[in-house]
C-alpha cells in the first residue's frame, strides 16, 4: 500500500488539490466507480467540481455510489445523497443510471442487502471482492469513517459488503460499506480538515499506541493507494 499525505493551507485548497488529482487520475480511464463520502467536508469539493470541473471531467463515465448513508428519506437535510445531488449531481447532468443511491428511506437491513447486490452487479471485482476505483472518505472527531464508529469495530471485518450502523450519540441508523470493501478499493482518499481532527489524524498517521481504536486507522487499500488530503489545521498533529 502506497500512502501519500497532501497538505494544503485551507479547506478550499484541499478541495482544489484533490480535484486536480482526481481530474488527472480519471482522464485516461474508460469508466470509474466512485464512492462519495457524506458529512460537511465534501461540500467544498462538490461545489468546486460543479463550478469548475463540469466540462473538465467526462462525468458520463463516472458511476457514483456512497460510502455510507443516513437512514432518512432522500429529501431530508441529513441525507448524504441530497447534499451531493443539490451541490453536484444535479449540476453536471449525470445520467440517472450512473447514480447508485443508498435508499435511506428503506428498511435498513433490507437496504444493506439490496445495496450490496447493486454493488456486486455493477462494480468490477478484484481479489474476490467488488473493488471501487476511488472511495472518498471523511473522518469524524472520534476517528470514525464512513459510518463505522468506534463502538462497532466489527463492521471493519464483517463478511457482508454493507452493514447497518448506529450513530453513537443520536442512535440514528446508517447504512455503510464495511471495512473489507473499503480496503479493496484501488484508491482511497480521505479529505480531512479542521483542528478537531488534528489529534486523531496525528495518532493514526504516526501509528501511535491506542490509535487502533479509531476505525479510520484500519483503512488502507491492501492492493492500492491511500491518500490523506488535509489542511494545515488538521495536519497540526503530524508535525
Ligand atoms: C457521514 C460521513 C462521515 C463523515 C465524517 C466527517 O455520513 O457523516 O460519511 O463518515 O465523513 O463524520 O464528517 P465532517 O466532514 O462533517 O467532519
Amino acid at each position: 500500500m502506497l500512502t501519500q499525505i497532501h497538505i494544503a493551507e485551507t479547506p478550499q485548497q484541499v478541495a482544489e488539490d484533490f480535484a486536480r488529482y482526481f481530474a488527472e487520475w480519471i482522464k485516461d480511464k474508460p469508466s470509474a466507480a466512485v464512492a462519495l463520502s457524506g458529512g460537511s467536508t465534501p461540500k467544498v469539493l462538490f461545489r468546486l467540481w460543479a463550478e469548475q470541473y463540469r466540462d473538465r471531467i467526462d462525468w458520463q463515465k463516472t458511476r457514483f455510489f456512497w460510502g455510507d448513508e443516513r437512514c432518512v428519506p432522500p429529501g431530508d437535510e441529513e441525507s448524504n445523497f441530497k447534499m451531493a445531488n443539490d451541490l453536484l449531481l444535479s449540476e453536471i447532468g449525470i445520467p440517472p443510471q450512473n447514480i447508485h443511491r443508498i435508499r435511506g428511506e428503506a428498511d435498513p437491513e433490507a437496504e444493506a442487502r439490496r445495496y450490496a447486490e447493486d454493488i456486486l452487479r455493477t462494480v468490477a471485482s478484484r481479489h474476490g471482492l467488488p473493488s471501487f476505483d476511488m472511495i472518498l472518505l471523511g473522518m469524524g472527531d472520534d476517528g470514525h469513517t464512513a459510518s463505522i464508529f468506534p463502538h462497532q469495530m466489527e463492521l471493519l471485518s464483517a463478511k457482508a459488503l454493507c452493514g447497518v450502523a448506529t450513530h453513537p450519540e443520536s442512535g440514528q441508523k446508517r447504512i455503510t460499506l464495511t471495512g473489507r470493501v473499503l480496503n479493496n478499493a484501488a484508491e482511497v482518499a480521505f479529505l480531512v480538515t479542521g483542528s478537531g481532527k488534528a489529534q486523531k489524524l496525528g495518532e493514526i498517521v504516526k501509528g501511535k499506541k491506542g490509535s487502533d481504536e479509531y476505525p479510520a486507522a484500519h483503512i488502507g487499500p491492501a492492493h492500492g493507494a491511500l491518500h490523506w488530503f488535509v489542511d494545515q489545521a488538521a495536519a497540526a498533529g503530524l508535525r
Side-chain angles (χ1 to χ4, degrees), residues 31-64:
S31 71
V34 177
L36 300 175
S37 62
S40 56
T41 302
K43 289 179 177 176
V44 183
L45 172 65
F46 295 170
R47 285 194 188 95
L48 180 68
W49 266 344
E51 288 159 10
Q52 298 185 30
Y53 284 81
R54 182 199 309 262
D55 306 317
R56 291 162 63 183
I57 288 177
D58 178 2
W59 296 105
Q60 304 300 306
K61 67 183 180 181
T62 311
R63 288 177 294 122
F64 284 112

PDB file of all heavy atoms in Angstrom, residues 31-64:
ATOM      1  N   SER A  31     -13.971   4.080 -17.513  1.00  0.00           N
ATOM      2  CA  SER A  31     -15.084   4.337 -16.591  1.00  0.00           C
ATOM      3  C   SER A  31     -14.514   4.319 -15.172  1.00  0.00           C
ATOM      4  O   SER A  31     -13.390   3.860 -14.954  1.00  0.00           O
ATOM      5  CB  SER A  31     -16.164   3.254 -16.716  1.00  0.00           C
ATOM      6  OG  SER A  31     -15.666   2.042 -16.158  1.00  0.00           O
ATOM      7  N   ALA A  32     -15.310   4.831 -14.231  1.00  0.00           N
ATOM      8  CA  ALA A  32     -14.824   4.846 -12.840  1.00  0.00           C
ATOM      9  C   ALA A  32     -16.003   4.697 -11.891  1.00  0.00           C
ATOM     10  O   ALA A  32     -17.016   5.394 -12.030  1.00  0.00           O
ATOM     11  CB  ALA A  32     -14.079   6.145 -12.557  1.00  0.00           C
ATOM     12  N   ALA A  33     -15.865   3.749 -10.968  1.00  0.00           N
ATOM     13  CA  ALA A  33     -16.861   3.591  -9.900  1.00  0.00           C
ATOM     14  C   ALA A  33     -16.327   4.342  -8.685  1.00  0.00           C
ATOM     15  O   ALA A  33     -15.284   3.974  -8.134  1.00  0.00           O
ATOM     16  CB  ALA A  33     -17.067   2.115  -9.572  1.00  0.00           C
ATOM     17  N   VAL A  34     -17.013   5.417  -8.325  1.00  0.00           N
ATOM     18  CA  VAL A  34     -16.539   6.328  -7.276  1.00  0.00           C
ATOM     19  C   VAL A  34     -17.558   6.359  -6.141  1.00  0.00           C
ATOM     20  O   VAL A  34     -18.742   6.586  -6.370  1.00  0.00           O
ATOM     21  CB  VAL A  34     -16.352   7.753  -7.846  1.00  0.00           C
ATOM     22  CG1 VAL A  34     -15.933   8.733  -6.752  1.00  0.00           C
ATOM     23  CG2 VAL A  34     -15.331   7.744  -8.993  1.00  0.00           C
ATOM     24  N   ALA A  35     -17.094   6.097  -4.925  1.00  0.00           N
ATOM     25  CA  ALA A  35     -17.990   6.182  -3.758  1.00  0.00           C
ATOM     26  C   ALA A  35     -17.731   7.505  -3.042  1.00  0.00           C
ATOM     27  O   ALA A  35     -16.584   7.829  -2.720  1.00  0.00           O
ATOM     28  CB  ALA A  35     -17.748   5.009  -2.807  1.00  0.00           C
ATOM     29  N   LEU A  36     -18.804   8.258  -2.844  1.00  0.00           N
ATOM     30  CA  LEU A  36     -18.691   9.584  -2.219  1.00  0.00           C
ATOM     31  C   LEU A  36     -18.849   9.473  -0.713  1.00  0.00           C
ATOM     32  O   LEU A  36     -19.538   8.575  -0.204  1.00  0.00           O
ATOM     33  CB  LEU A  36     -19.775  10.516  -2.789  1.00  0.00           C
ATOM     34  CG  LEU A  36     -19.723  10.760  -4.299  1.00  0.00           C
ATOM     35  CD1 LEU A  36     -20.930  11.608  -4.713  1.00  0.00           C
ATOM     36  CD2 LEU A  36     -18.422  11.419  -4.728  1.00  0.00           C
ATOM     37  N   SER A  37     -18.249  10.415  -0.012  1.00  0.00           N
ATOM     38  CA  SER A  37     -18.456  10.466   1.437  1.00  0.00           C
ATOM     39  C   SER A  37     -19.535  11.506   1.741  1.00  0.00           C
ATOM     40  O   SER A  37     -19.947  12.276   0.877  1.00  0.00           O
ATOM     41  CB  SER A  37     -17.146  10.865   2.148  1.00  0.00           C
ATOM     42  OG  SER A  37     -16.748  12.150   1.732  1.00  0.00           O
ATOM     43  N   GLY A  38     -19.978  11.493   2.959  1.00  0.00           N
ATOM     44  CA  GLY A  38     -21.020  12.421   3.394  1.00  0.00           C
ATOM     45  C   GLY A  38     -20.433  13.441   4.357  1.00  0.00           C
ATOM     46  O   GLY A  38     -19.236  13.735   4.297  1.00  0.00           O
ATOM     47  N   GLY A  39     -21.289  13.961   5.220  1.00  0.00           N
ATOM     48  CA  GLY A  39     -20.815  14.967   6.167  1.00  0.00           C
ATOM     49  C   GLY A  39     -20.627  16.310   5.483  1.00  0.00           C
ATOM     50  O   GLY A  39     -21.078  16.531   4.351  1.00  0.00           O
ATOM     51  N   SER A  40     -19.901  17.214   6.127  1.00  0.00           N
ATOM     52  CA  SER A  40     -19.775  18.584   5.605  1.00  0.00           C
ATOM     53  C   SER A  40     -18.508  18.802   4.779  1.00  0.00           C
ATOM     54  O   SER A  40     -18.505  19.625   3.859  1.00  0.00           O
ATOM     55  CB  SER A  40     -19.798  19.568   6.778  1.00  0.00           C
ATOM     56  OG  SER A  40     -18.767  19.233   7.699  1.00  0.00           O
ATOM     57  N   THR A  41     -17.450  18.067   5.071  1.00  0.00           N
ATOM     58  CA  THR A  41     -16.174  18.340   4.370  1.00  0.00           C
ATOM     59  C   THR A  41     -16.291  18.293   2.849  1.00  0.00           C
ATOM     60  O   THR A  41     -15.774  19.166   2.164  1.00  0.00           O
ATOM     61  CB  THR A  41     -15.079  17.366   4.852  1.00  0.00           C
ATOM     62  OG1 THR A  41     -14.922  17.510   6.269  1.00  0.00           O
ATOM     63  CG2 THR A  41     -13.748  17.647   4.166  1.00  0.00           C
ATOM     64  N   PRO A  42     -16.993  17.311   2.287  1.00  0.00           N
ATOM     65  CA  PRO A  42     -17.007  17.220   0.815  1.00  0.00           C
ATOM     66  C   PRO A  42     -17.777  18.345   0.136  1.00  0.00           C
ATOM     67  O   PRO A  42     -17.686  18.508  -1.083  1.00  0.00           O
ATOM     68  CB  PRO A  42     -17.678  15.883   0.522  1.00  0.00           C
ATOM     69  CG  PRO A  42     -17.865  15.193   1.814  1.00  0.00           C
ATOM     70  CD  PRO A  42     -17.764  16.215   2.902  1.00  0.00           C
ATOM     71  N   LYS A  43     -18.546  19.149   0.888  1.00  0.00           N
ATOM     72  CA  LYS A  43     -19.357  20.191   0.238  1.00  0.00           C
ATOM     73  C   LYS A  43     -18.490  21.115  -0.618  1.00  0.00           C
ATOM     74  O   LYS A  43     -18.863  21.490  -1.723  1.00  0.00           O
ATOM     75  CB  LYS A  43     -20.119  21.013   1.296  1.00  0.00           C
ATOM     76  CG  LYS A  43     -21.244  20.235   1.963  1.00  0.00           C
ATOM     77  CD  LYS A  43     -21.954  21.077   3.011  1.00  0.00           C
ATOM     78  CE  LYS A  43     -23.122  20.314   3.635  1.00  0.00           C
ATOM     79  NZ  LYS A  43     -23.762  21.085   4.731  1.00  0.00           N
ATOM     80  N   VAL A  44     -17.307  21.452  -0.090  1.00  0.00           N
ATOM     81  CA  VAL A  44     -16.414  22.379  -0.816  1.00  0.00           C
ATOM     82  C   VAL A  44     -15.993  21.737  -2.146  1.00  0.00           C
ATOM     83  O   VAL A  44     -16.000  22.370  -3.197  1.00  0.00           O
ATOM     84  CB  VAL A  44     -15.155  22.680   0.039  1.00  0.00           C
ATOM     85  CG1 VAL A  44     -14.262  23.691  -0.650  1.00  0.00           C
ATOM     86  CG2 VAL A  44     -15.540  23.169   1.414  1.00  0.00           C
ATOM     87  N   LEU A  45     -15.682  20.449  -2.085  1.00  0.00           N
ATOM     88  CA  LEU A  45     -15.268  19.731  -3.307  1.00  0.00           C
ATOM     89  C   LEU A  45     -16.420  19.644  -4.300  1.00  0.00           C
ATOM     90  O   LEU A  45     -16.248  19.898  -5.495  1.00  0.00           O
ATOM     91  CB  LEU A  45     -14.801  18.319  -2.933  1.00  0.00           C
ATOM     92  CG  LEU A  45     -14.521  17.378  -4.101  1.00  0.00           C
ATOM     93  CD1 LEU A  45     -13.340  17.879  -4.936  1.00  0.00           C
ATOM     94  CD2 LEU A  45     -14.283  15.944  -3.603  1.00  0.00           C
ATOM     95  N   PHE A  46     -17.622  19.296  -3.819  1.00  0.00           N
ATOM     96  CA  PHE A  46     -18.747  19.124  -4.744  1.00  0.00           C
ATOM     97  C   PHE A  46     -19.065  20.440  -5.445  1.00  0.00           C
ATOM     98  O   PHE A  46     -19.326  20.461  -6.656  1.00  0.00           O
ATOM     99  CB  PHE A  46     -19.976  18.597  -4.000  1.00  0.00           C
ATOM    100  CG  PHE A  46     -19.819  17.205  -3.427  1.00  0.00           C
ATOM    101  CD1 PHE A  46     -20.768  16.680  -2.554  1.00  0.00           C
ATOM    102  CD2 PHE A  46     -18.720  16.411  -3.752  1.00  0.00           C
ATOM    103  CE1 PHE A  46     -20.619  15.402  -2.008  1.00  0.00           C
ATOM    104  CE2 PHE A  46     -18.569  15.128  -3.225  1.00  0.00           C
ATOM    105  CZ  PHE A  46     -19.520  14.626  -2.349  1.00  0.00           C
ATOM    106  N   ARG A  47     -19.013  21.556  -4.683  1.00  0.00           N
ATOM    107  CA  ARG A  47     -19.255  22.873  -5.306  1.00  0.00           C
ATOM    108  C   ARG A  47     -18.180  23.161  -6.359  1.00  0.00           C
ATOM    109  O   ARG A  47     -18.456  23.611  -7.460  1.00  0.00           O
ATOM    110  CB  ARG A  47     -19.236  23.979  -4.246  1.00  0.00           C
ATOM    111  CG  ARG A  47     -20.470  24.028  -3.369  1.00  0.00           C
ATOM    112  CD  ARG A  47     -20.557  25.344  -2.582  1.00  0.00           C
ATOM    113  NE  ARG A  47     -21.647  25.293  -1.605  1.00  0.00           N
ATOM    114  CZ  ARG A  47     -21.484  24.945  -0.304  1.00  0.00           C
ATOM    115  NH1 ARG A  47     -20.258  24.606   0.154  1.00  0.00           N
ATOM    116  NH2 ARG A  47     -22.508  24.895   0.545  1.00  0.00           N
ATOM    117  N   LEU A  48     -16.925  22.848  -6.014  1.00  0.00           N
ATOM    118  CA  LEU A  48     -15.811  23.094  -6.941  1.00  0.00           C
ATOM    119  C   LEU A  48     -15.960  22.255  -8.196  1.00  0.00           C
ATOM    120  O   LEU A  48     -15.814  22.743  -9.324  1.00  0.00           O
ATOM    121  CB  LEU A  48     -14.495  22.757  -6.233  1.00  0.00           C
ATOM    122  CG  LEU A  48     -13.196  22.930  -7.018  1.00  0.00           C
ATOM    123  CD1 LEU A  48     -12.933  24.404  -7.296  1.00  0.00           C
ATOM    124  CD2 LEU A  48     -12.024  22.308  -6.251  1.00  0.00           C
ATOM    125  N   TRP A  49     -16.298  20.988  -8.048  1.00  0.00           N
ATOM    126  CA  TRP A  49     -16.499  20.115  -9.211  1.00  0.00           C
ATOM    127  C   TRP A  49     -17.589  20.696 -10.114  1.00  0.00           C
ATOM    128  O   TRP A  49     -17.427  20.767 -11.329  1.00  0.00           O
ATOM    129  CB  TRP A  49     -16.905  18.715  -8.751  1.00  0.00           C
ATOM    130  CG  TRP A  49     -15.761  17.758  -8.606  1.00  0.00           C
ATOM    131  CD1 TRP A  49     -14.490  17.880  -9.098  1.00  0.00           C
ATOM    132  CD2 TRP A  49     -15.806  16.486  -7.923  1.00  0.00           C
ATOM    133  NE1 TRP A  49     -13.753  16.773  -8.751  1.00  0.00           N
ATOM    134  CE2 TRP A  49     -14.520  15.894  -8.049  1.00  0.00           C
ATOM    135  CE3 TRP A  49     -16.814  15.791  -7.216  1.00  0.00           C
ATOM    136  CZ2 TRP A  49     -14.202  14.656  -7.500  1.00  0.00           C
ATOM    137  CZ3 TRP A  49     -16.510  14.548  -6.667  1.00  0.00           C
ATOM    138  CH2 TRP A  49     -15.212  14.002  -6.811  1.00  0.00           C
ATOM    139  N   ALA A  50     -18.701  21.134  -9.500  1.00  0.00           N
ATOM    140  CA  ALA A  50     -19.837  21.641 -10.293  1.00  0.00           C
ATOM    141  C   ALA A  50     -19.483  22.960 -10.977  1.00  0.00           C
ATOM    142  O   ALA A  50     -19.843  23.193 -12.133  1.00  0.00           O
ATOM    143  CB  ALA A  50     -21.050  21.825  -9.389  1.00  0.00           C
ATOM    144  N   GLU A  51     -18.742  23.813 -10.264  1.00  0.00           N
ATOM    145  CA  GLU A  51     -18.442  25.151 -10.824  1.00  0.00           C
ATOM    146  C   GLU A  51     -17.262  25.149 -11.801  1.00  0.00           C
ATOM    147  O   GLU A  51     -17.283  25.829 -12.807  1.00  0.00           O
ATOM    148  CB  GLU A  51     -18.149  26.134  -9.665  1.00  0.00           C
ATOM    149  CG  GLU A  51     -19.396  26.511  -8.866  1.00  0.00           C
ATOM    150  CD  GLU A  51     -19.035  27.046  -7.463  1.00  0.00           C
ATOM    151  OE1 GLU A  51     -17.844  27.300  -7.192  1.00  0.00           O
ATOM    152  OE2 GLU A  51     -19.964  27.175  -6.636  1.00  0.00           O
ATOM    153  N   GLN A  52     -16.243  24.371 -11.521  1.00  0.00           N
ATOM    154  CA  GLN A  52     -15.010  24.491 -12.317  1.00  0.00           C
ATOM    155  C   GLN A  52     -14.633  23.228 -13.082  1.00  0.00           C
ATOM    156  O   GLN A  52     -13.739  23.257 -13.923  1.00  0.00           O
ATOM    157  CB  GLN A  52     -13.832  24.898 -11.405  1.00  0.00           C
ATOM    158  CG  GLN A  52     -14.053  26.267 -10.754  1.00  0.00           C
ATOM    159  CD  GLN A  52     -12.830  26.702  -9.945  1.00  0.00           C
ATOM    160  OE1 GLN A  52     -11.706  26.345 -10.277  1.00  0.00           O
ATOM    161  NE2 GLN A  52     -13.073  27.444  -8.871  1.00  0.00           N
ATOM    162  N   TYR A  53     -15.300  22.103 -12.808  1.00  0.00           N
ATOM    163  CA  TYR A  53     -14.909  20.866 -13.499  1.00  0.00           C
ATOM    164  C   TYR A  53     -16.059  20.275 -14.305  1.00  0.00           C
ATOM    165  O   TYR A  53     -15.956  19.143 -14.794  1.00  0.00           O
ATOM    166  CB  TYR A  53     -14.380  19.839 -12.476  1.00  0.00           C
ATOM    167  CG  TYR A  53     -12.974  20.159 -12.001  1.00  0.00           C
ATOM    168  CD1 TYR A  53     -12.770  21.118 -10.994  1.00  0.00           C
ATOM    169  CD2 TYR A  53     -11.857  19.559 -12.565  1.00  0.00           C
ATOM    170  CE1 TYR A  53     -11.487  21.443 -10.576  1.00  0.00           C
ATOM    171  CE2 TYR A  53     -10.567  19.880 -12.150  1.00  0.00           C
ATOM    172  CZ  TYR A  53     -10.396  20.820 -11.152  1.00  0.00           C
ATOM    173  OH  TYR A  53      -9.111  21.142 -10.736  1.00  0.00           O
ATOM    174  N   ARG A  54     -17.121  21.027 -14.475  1.00  0.00           N
ATOM    175  CA  ARG A  54     -18.280  20.493 -15.211  1.00  0.00           C
ATOM    176  C   ARG A  54     -17.840  19.989 -16.593  1.00  0.00           C
ATOM    177  O   ARG A  54     -18.209  18.920 -17.023  1.00  0.00           O
ATOM    178  CB  ARG A  54     -19.324  21.601 -15.369  1.00  0.00           C
ATOM    179  CG  ARG A  54     -20.598  21.173 -16.061  1.00  0.00           C
ATOM    180  CD  ARG A  54     -21.335  22.413 -16.566  1.00  0.00           C
ATOM    181  NE  ARG A  54     -21.493  23.396 -15.498  1.00  0.00           N
ATOM    182  CZ  ARG A  54     -22.609  23.531 -14.785  1.00  0.00           C
ATOM    183  NH1 ARG A  54     -23.649  22.769 -15.061  1.00  0.00           N
ATOM    184  NH2 ARG A  54     -22.721  24.415 -13.828  1.00  0.00           N
ATOM    185  N   ASP A  55     -16.984  20.772 -17.256  1.00  0.00           N
ATOM    186  CA  ASP A  55     -16.553  20.400 -18.616  1.00  0.00           C
ATOM    187  C   ASP A  55     -15.119  19.887 -18.650  1.00  0.00           C
ATOM    188  O   ASP A  55     -14.577  19.629 -19.732  1.00  0.00           O
ATOM    189  CB  ASP A  55     -16.686  21.618 -19.543  1.00  0.00           C
ATOM    190  CG  ASP A  55     -18.107  22.183 -19.489  1.00  0.00           C
ATOM    191  OD1 ASP A  55     -19.052  21.358 -19.505  1.00  0.00           O
ATOM    192  OD2 ASP A  55     -18.253  23.411 -19.352  1.00  0.00           O
ATOM    193  N   ARG A  56     -14.507  19.758 -17.472  1.00  0.00           N
ATOM    194  CA  ARG A  56     -13.090  19.325 -17.490  1.00  0.00           C
ATOM    195  C   ARG A  56     -12.942  17.852 -17.125  1.00  0.00           C
ATOM    196  O   ARG A  56     -11.855  17.303 -17.137  1.00  0.00           O
ATOM    197  CB  ARG A  56     -12.285  20.190 -16.510  1.00  0.00           C
ATOM    198  CG  ARG A  56     -12.156  21.639 -16.995  1.00  0.00           C
ATOM    199  CD  ARG A  56     -11.765  22.597 -15.893  1.00  0.00           C
ATOM    200  NE  ARG A  56     -10.457  22.325 -15.305  1.00  0.00           N
ATOM    201  CZ  ARG A  56      -9.980  23.050 -14.265  1.00  0.00           C
ATOM    202  NH1 ARG A  56     -10.721  23.981 -13.695  1.00  0.00           N
ATOM    203  NH2 ARG A  56      -8.786  22.797 -13.779  1.00  0.00           N
ATOM    204  N   ILE A  57     -14.067  17.233 -16.763  1.00  0.00           N
ATOM    205  CA  ILE A  57     -14.077  15.789 -16.464  1.00  0.00           C
ATOM    206  C   ILE A  57     -15.242  15.176 -17.249  1.00  0.00           C
ATOM    207  O   ILE A  57     -16.319  15.775 -17.355  1.00  0.00           O
ATOM    208  CB  ILE A  57     -14.258  15.557 -14.945  1.00  0.00           C
ATOM    209  CG1 ILE A  57     -12.971  15.953 -14.183  1.00  0.00           C
ATOM    210  CG2 ILE A  57     -14.643  14.106 -14.646  1.00  0.00           C
ATOM    211  CD1 ILE A  57     -13.058  15.832 -12.675  1.00  0.00           C
ATOM    212  N   ASP A  58     -15.001  13.983 -17.819  1.00  0.00           N
ATOM    213  CA  ASP A  58     -16.075  13.277 -18.533  1.00  0.00           C
ATOM    214  C   ASP A  58     -16.930  12.544 -17.493  1.00  0.00           C
ATOM    215  O   ASP A  58     -16.713  11.378 -17.176  1.00  0.00           O
ATOM    216  CB  ASP A  58     -15.462  12.276 -19.538  1.00  0.00           C
ATOM    217  CG  ASP A  58     -16.562  11.495 -20.254  1.00  0.00           C
ATOM    218  OD1 ASP A  58     -17.758  11.774 -19.982  1.00  0.00           O
ATOM    219  OD2 ASP A  58     -16.222  10.605 -21.050  1.00  0.00           O
ATOM    220  N   TRP A  59     -17.923  13.301 -16.985  1.00  0.00           N
ATOM    221  CA  TRP A  59     -18.745  12.748 -15.893  1.00  0.00           C
ATOM    222  C   TRP A  59     -19.607  11.586 -16.373  1.00  0.00           C
ATOM    223  O   TRP A  59     -20.076  10.779 -15.575  1.00  0.00           O
ATOM    224  CB  TRP A  59     -19.596  13.855 -15.283  1.00  0.00           C
ATOM    225  CG  TRP A  59     -18.795  14.933 -14.622  1.00  0.00           C
ATOM    226  CD1 TRP A  59     -18.552  16.206 -15.093  1.00  0.00           C
ATOM    227  CD2 TRP A  59     -18.081  14.840 -13.376  1.00  0.00           C
ATOM    228  NE1 TRP A  59     -17.747  16.896 -14.211  1.00  0.00           N
ATOM    229  CE2 TRP A  59     -17.443  16.085 -13.158  1.00  0.00           C
ATOM    230  CE3 TRP A  59     -17.932  13.826 -12.438  1.00  0.00           C
ATOM    231  CZ2 TRP A  59     -16.665  16.343 -12.029  1.00  0.00           C
ATOM    232  CZ3 TRP A  59     -17.162  14.068 -11.304  1.00  0.00           C
ATOM    233  CH2 TRP A  59     -16.536  15.312 -11.101  1.00  0.00           C
ATOM    234  N   GLN A  60     -19.818  11.494 -17.698  1.00  0.00           N
ATOM    235  CA  GLN A  60     -20.686  10.413 -18.226  1.00  0.00           C
ATOM    236  C   GLN A  60     -20.110   9.039 -17.915  1.00  0.00           C
ATOM    237  O   GLN A  60     -20.819   8.061 -17.854  1.00  0.00           O
ATOM    238  CB  GLN A  60     -20.842  10.572 -19.753  1.00  0.00           C
ATOM    239  CG  GLN A  60     -21.376  11.920 -20.197  1.00  0.00           C
ATOM    240  CD  GLN A  60     -22.745  12.242 -19.633  1.00  0.00           C
ATOM    241  OE1 GLN A  60     -23.690  11.459 -19.770  1.00  0.00           O
ATOM    242  NE2 GLN A  60     -22.864  13.369 -18.931  1.00  0.00           N
ATOM    243  N   LYS A  61     -18.787   8.988 -17.748  1.00  0.00           N
ATOM    244  CA  LYS A  61     -18.162   7.673 -17.499  1.00  0.00           C
ATOM    245  C   LYS A  61     -17.992   7.396 -15.996  1.00  0.00           C
ATOM    246  O   LYS A  61     -17.405   6.393 -15.586  1.00  0.00           O
ATOM    247  CB  LYS A  61     -16.812   7.579 -18.196  1.00  0.00           C
ATOM    248  CG  LYS A  61     -15.722   8.497 -17.661  1.00  0.00           C
ATOM    249  CD  LYS A  61     -14.463   8.365 -18.476  1.00  0.00           C
ATOM    250  CE  LYS A  61     -13.349   9.264 -17.958  1.00  0.00           C
ATOM    251  NZ  LYS A  61     -12.103   9.150 -18.768  1.00  0.00           N
ATOM    252  N   THR A  62     -18.508   8.326 -15.195  1.00  0.00           N
ATOM    253  CA  THR A  62     -18.357   8.171 -13.742  1.00  0.00           C
ATOM    254  C   THR A  62     -19.645   7.613 -13.154  1.00  0.00           C
ATOM    255  O   THR A  62     -20.728   8.130 -13.424  1.00  0.00           O
ATOM    256  CB  THR A  62     -18.075   9.542 -13.097  1.00  0.00           C
ATOM    257  OG1 THR A  62     -17.026  10.180 -13.828  1.00  0.00           O
ATOM    258  CG2 THR A  62     -17.679   9.380 -11.640  1.00  0.00           C
ATOM    259  N   ARG A  63     -19.519   6.546 -12.362  1.00  0.00           N
ATOM    260  CA  ARG A  63     -20.695   5.999 -11.679  1.00  0.00           C
ATOM    261  C   ARG A  63     -20.538   6.281 -10.190  1.00  0.00           C
ATOM    262  O   ARG A  63     -19.516   5.945  -9.601  1.00  0.00           O
ATOM    263  CB  ARG A  63     -20.818   4.505 -11.958  1.00  0.00           C
ATOM    264  CG  ARG A  63     -21.268   4.251 -13.419  1.00  0.00           C
ATOM    265  CD  ARG A  63     -21.338   2.781 -13.767  1.00  0.00           C
ATOM    266  NE  ARG A  63     -20.007   2.176 -13.754  1.00  0.00           N
ATOM    267  CZ  ARG A  63     -19.687   1.137 -12.975  1.00  0.00           C
ATOM    268  NH1 ARG A  63     -20.581   0.643 -12.140  1.00  0.00           N
ATOM    269  NH2 ARG A  63     -18.469   0.637 -13.024  1.00  0.00           N
ATOM    270  N   PHE A  64     -21.563   6.954  -9.642  1.00  0.00           N
ATOM    271  CA  PHE A  64     -21.462   7.414  -8.253  1.00  0.00           C
ATOM    272  C   PHE A  64     -22.177   6.469  -7.297  1.00  0.00           C
ATOM    273  O   PHE A  64     -23.322   6.072  -7.523  1.00  0.00           O
ATOM    274  CB  PHE A  64     -22.055   8.823  -8.117  1.00  0.00           C
ATOM    275  CG  PHE A  64     -21.152   9.904  -8.656  1.00  0.00           C
ATOM    276  CD1 PHE A  64     -21.490  10.611  -9.790  1.00  0.00           C
ATOM    277  CD2 PHE A  64     -19.952  10.197  -8.010  1.00  0.00           C
ATOM    278  CE1 PHE A  64     -20.650  11.603 -10.282  1.00  0.00           C
ATOM    279  CE2 PHE A  64     -19.114  11.203  -8.493  1.00  0.00           C
ATOM    280  CZ  PHE A  64     -19.468  11.895  -9.636  1.00  0.00           C
TER     281      PHE A  64
END
